[in-house]
mmCIF file of all heavy atoms in Angstrom:
data_model
loop_
_atom_site.group_PDB
_atom_site.id
_atom_site.type_symbol
_atom_site.label_atom_id
_atom_site.label_comp_id
_atom_site.label_asym_id
_atom_site.label_seq_id
_atom_site.Cartn_x
_atom_site.Cartn_y
_atom_site.Cartn_z
ATOM 1 N N GLY I 825 0.874 -27.588 -0.581
ATOM 2 C CA GLY I 825 -0.240 -26.911 0.128
ATOM 3 C C GLY I 825 0.335 -26.231 1.411
ATOM 4 O O GLY I 825 1.412 -26.645 1.912
ATOM 5 N N SER I 826 -0.437 -25.322 1.965
ATOM 6 C CA SER I 826 -0.099 -24.690 3.183
ATOM 7 C C SER I 826 -1.304 -24.522 4.130
ATOM 8 O O SER I 826 -2.378 -24.176 3.568
ATOM 9 C CB SER I 826 0.495 -23.293 2.955
ATOM 10 O OG SER I 826 1.721 -23.432 2.202
ATOM 11 N N LEU I 827 -1.132 -24.698 5.350
ATOM 12 C CA LEU I 827 -2.214 -24.450 6.355
ATOM 13 C C LEU I 827 -1.767 -23.443 7.317
ATOM 14 O O LEU I 827 -0.627 -23.547 7.937
ATOM 15 C CB LEU I 827 -2.492 -25.781 7.079
ATOM 16 C CG LEU I 827 -3.613 -25.721 8.173
ATOM 17 C CD1 LEU I 827 -4.996 -25.496 7.535
ATOM 18 C CD2 LEU I 827 -3.625 -27.008 8.992
ATOM 19 N N THR I 828 -2.588 -22.423 7.460
ATOM 20 C CA THR I 828 -2.266 -21.326 8.387
ATOM 21 C C THR I 828 -3.388 -21.020 9.298
ATOM 22 O O THR I 828 -4.637 -21.408 9.010
ATOM 23 C CB THR I 828 -1.862 -20.018 7.653
ATOM 24 O OG1 THR I 828 -2.943 -19.735 6.704
ATOM 25 C CG2 THR I 828 -0.596 -20.198 6.851
ATOM 26 N N GLY I 829 -3.075 -20.411 10.455
ATOM 27 C CA GLY I 829 -4.172 -20.139 11.305
ATOM 28 C C GLY I 829 -3.926 -18.924 12.259
ATOM 29 O O GLY I 829 -2.827 -18.372 12.230
ATOM 30 N N SER I 830 -4.891 -18.482 13.013
ATOM 31 C CA SER I 830 -4.756 -17.362 13.946
ATOM 32 C C SER I 830 -5.785 -17.489 15.067
ATOM 33 O O SER I 830 -6.849 -18.064 14.884
ATOM 34 C CB SER I 830 -4.886 -16.022 13.236
ATOM 35 O OG SER I 830 -6.245 -15.876 12.804
ATOM 36 N N ILE I 831 -5.408 -16.936 16.203
ATOM 37 C CA ILE I 831 -6.298 -16.851 17.331
ATOM 38 C C ILE I 831 -5.941 -15.643 18.158
ATOM 39 O O ILE I 831 -4.778 -15.468 18.397
ATOM 40 C CB ILE I 831 -6.321 -18.152 18.173
ATOM 41 C CG1 ILE I 831 -7.479 -18.060 19.225
ATOM 42 C CG2 ILE I 831 -4.915 -18.422 18.821
ATOM 43 C CD1 ILE I 831 -7.796 -19.381 19.948
ATOM 44 N N GLY I 832 -6.990 -14.865 18.532
ATOM 45 C CA GLY I 832 -6.669 -13.713 19.294
ATOM 46 C C GLY I 832 -7.823 -13.247 20.088
ATOM 47 O O GLY I 832 -8.982 -13.760 19.942
ATOM 48 N N ILE I 833 -7.578 -12.381 21.023
ATOM 49 C CA ILE I 833 -8.582 -11.933 22.010
ATOM 50 C C ILE I 833 -8.549 -10.397 22.164
ATOM 51 O O ILE I 833 -7.350 -9.847 22.161
ATOM 52 C CB ILE I 833 -8.489 -12.632 23.369
ATOM 53 C CG1 ILE I 833 -9.743 -12.385 24.198
ATOM 54 C CG2 ILE I 833 -7.184 -12.223 24.112
ATOM 55 C CD1 ILE I 833 -9.914 -13.309 25.360
ATOM 56 N N SER I 834 -9.710 -9.773 22.286
ATOM 57 C CA SER I 834 -9.696 -8.359 22.526
ATOM 58 C C SER I 834 -10.550 -8.192 23.822
ATOM 59 O O SER I 834 -11.635 -8.730 23.951
ATOM 60 C CB SER I 834 -10.386 -7.619 21.424
ATOM 61 O OG SER I 834 -10.524 -6.275 21.686
ATOM 62 N N TYR I 835 -9.972 -7.491 24.782
ATOM 63 C CA TYR I 835 -10.588 -7.227 26.039
ATOM 64 C C TYR I 835 -10.778 -5.779 26.324
ATOM 65 O O TYR I 835 -9.782 -5.016 26.267
ATOM 66 C CB TYR I 835 -9.726 -7.870 27.170
ATOM 67 C CG TYR I 835 -10.207 -7.546 28.598
ATOM 68 C CD1 TYR I 835 -11.501 -7.917 28.978
ATOM 69 C CD2 TYR I 835 -9.390 -6.928 29.499
ATOM 70 C CE1 TYR I 835 -11.947 -7.597 30.244
ATOM 71 C CE2 TYR I 835 -9.859 -6.595 30.778
ATOM 72 C CZ TYR I 835 -11.135 -6.982 31.175
ATOM 73 O OH TYR I 835 -11.579 -6.662 32.350
ATOM 74 N N ARG I 836 -12.011 -5.326 26.564
ATOM 75 C CA ARG I 836 -12.276 -3.929 26.751
ATOM 76 C C ARG I 836 -13.115 -3.847 28.054
ATOM 77 O O ARG I 836 -14.379 -3.894 28.061
ATOM 78 C CB ARG I 836 -13.135 -3.357 25.573
ATOM 79 C CG ARG I 836 -13.335 -1.935 25.572
ATOM 80 C CD ARG I 836 -13.802 -1.459 24.267
ATOM 81 N NE ARG I 836 -13.683 0.014 24.166
ATOM 82 C CZ ARG I 836 -13.861 0.761 23.060
ATOM 83 N NH1 ARG I 836 -14.052 0.118 21.895
ATOM 84 N NH2 ARG I 836 -13.883 2.049 23.046
ATOM 85 N N PRO I 837 -12.482 -3.575 29.127
ATOM 86 C CA PRO I 837 -13.135 -3.504 30.448
ATOM 87 C C PRO I 837 -14.025 -2.294 30.547
ATOM 88 O O PRO I 837 -15.003 -2.280 31.230
ATOM 89 C CB PRO I 837 -12.014 -3.381 31.469
ATOM 90 C CG PRO I 837 -10.819 -2.942 30.686
ATOM 91 C CD PRO I 837 -10.965 -3.467 29.242
#
Side-chain angles (χ1 to χ4, degrees):
S826 297
L827 180 67
T828 53
S830 66
I831 187 166
I833 192 166
S834 177
Y835 173 56
R836 188 166 189 168

